[in-house]
Amino acid sequence: MNPPSSHQVESFPPQVAPDCVLLILGTVPSVRSLELRQSYGHKHNLFWPFMGELFDAGPELAYAERVARLQRHGVGIWDVLERCERPGSLDSAIVRDSEVANDIPALLATHPGIRAIALNGGKAQQSFRRHIVPRFDATLRARITRLDLPSTSPANASIPRARKLELWRQLLDWTRRG
């Protein structure tokens, strides 16, 4: 038996309230997120600034308050992958054969109010199509709308911030704004 790799990365538990209507999925936590024990922990990641603009859940708040504010709007966060091998933080460094998906269909079964899944970036989208979509039955396929969004990672500099935020604004169509 091989010893565990120092590059083994594990997802956090889902941060999803019972009345969730929109689930945002990243790929897997970055090194900085793992150090902080907070999703989207890198200070240059645009996720929390965007959540601040959309849901008043910005990075100036304590992490628990940010998550609580998202949940009050019906937004949950999790990752497509439960675990994988990845040296560093870049999604492009994930060892494909090491990918193990979270049980998203089971989460959806216990949260029937979820109507949309927003995928944060290309690797989350690719892993979702590879590991999760084949496990969707006809009922889930009919119930869930998939929103493919540009990555909020600082590594994704090819799309201007304003354009990314414009695309992320579609989340408002799927949530409780009040």
Side-chain angles (χ1 to χ4, degrees):
M1 177 186 243
N2 294 330
S5 167
S6 63
H7 300 303
Q8 190 71 20
V9 179
E10 292 191 17
S11 176
F12 301 131
Q15 297 174 77
V16 179
D19 60 347
C20 183
V21 295
L22 168 69
L23 179 61
I24 301 173
L25 297 173
T27 308
V28 72
S30 70
V31 171
R32 184 65 178 146
S33 293
L34 293 166
E35 290 169 357
L36 294 173
R37 300 293 305 154
Q38 299 178 4
S39 295
Y40 305 101
H42 191 284
K43 67 181 178 179
H44 296 298
N45 191 302
L46 293 173
F47 182 81
W48 290 114
F50 286 0
M51 295 305 102
E53 292 191 45
L54 300 174
F55 303 113
D56 197 27
E60 69 282 355
L61 300 172
Y63 182 73
E65 179 59 23
R66 285 181 259 160
V67 172
R69 287 188 183 196
L70 287 182
Q71 290 178 346
R72 281 196 294 273
H73 286 276
V75 178
I77 57 176
W78 202 17
D79 293 302
V80 175
L81 299 179
E82 176 186 357
R83 65 182 177 274
C84 65
E85 188 175 326
R86 181 197 64 208
S89 290
L90 295 177
D91 282 354
S92 60
I94 292 173
V95 177
R96 183 177 165 125
D97 291 342
S98 72
E99 294 178 5
V100 176
N102 274 312
D103 194 352
I104 293 163
L107 181 103
L108 295 172
T110 60
H111 293 80
I114 295 174
R115 295 286 180 242
I117 292 176
L119 296 161
N120 187 349
K123 183 64 175 182
Q125 295 159 24
Q126 177 189 66
S127 296
F128 188 84
R129 284 190 304 271
R130 180 176 181 215
H131 299 291
I132 307 303
V133 170
R135 296 171 50 204
F136 273 24
D137 61 19
T139 302
L140 277 180
R141 287 181 204 277
R143 178 180 123 199
I144 300 297
T145 297
R146 191 176 83 214
L147 310 170
D148 290 343
L149 298 171
S151 175
T152 58
S153 167
N156 180 22
S158 64
I159 301 172
R161 183 190 193 282
R163 177 65 180 142
K164 285 184 198 179
L165 179 58
E166 179 184 331
L167 293 166
W168 275 81
R169 282 193 188 282
Q170 67 185 297
L171 298 185
L172 295 172
D173 296 335
W174 295 94
T175 60
R176 294 184 301 278
R177 296 175 197 210

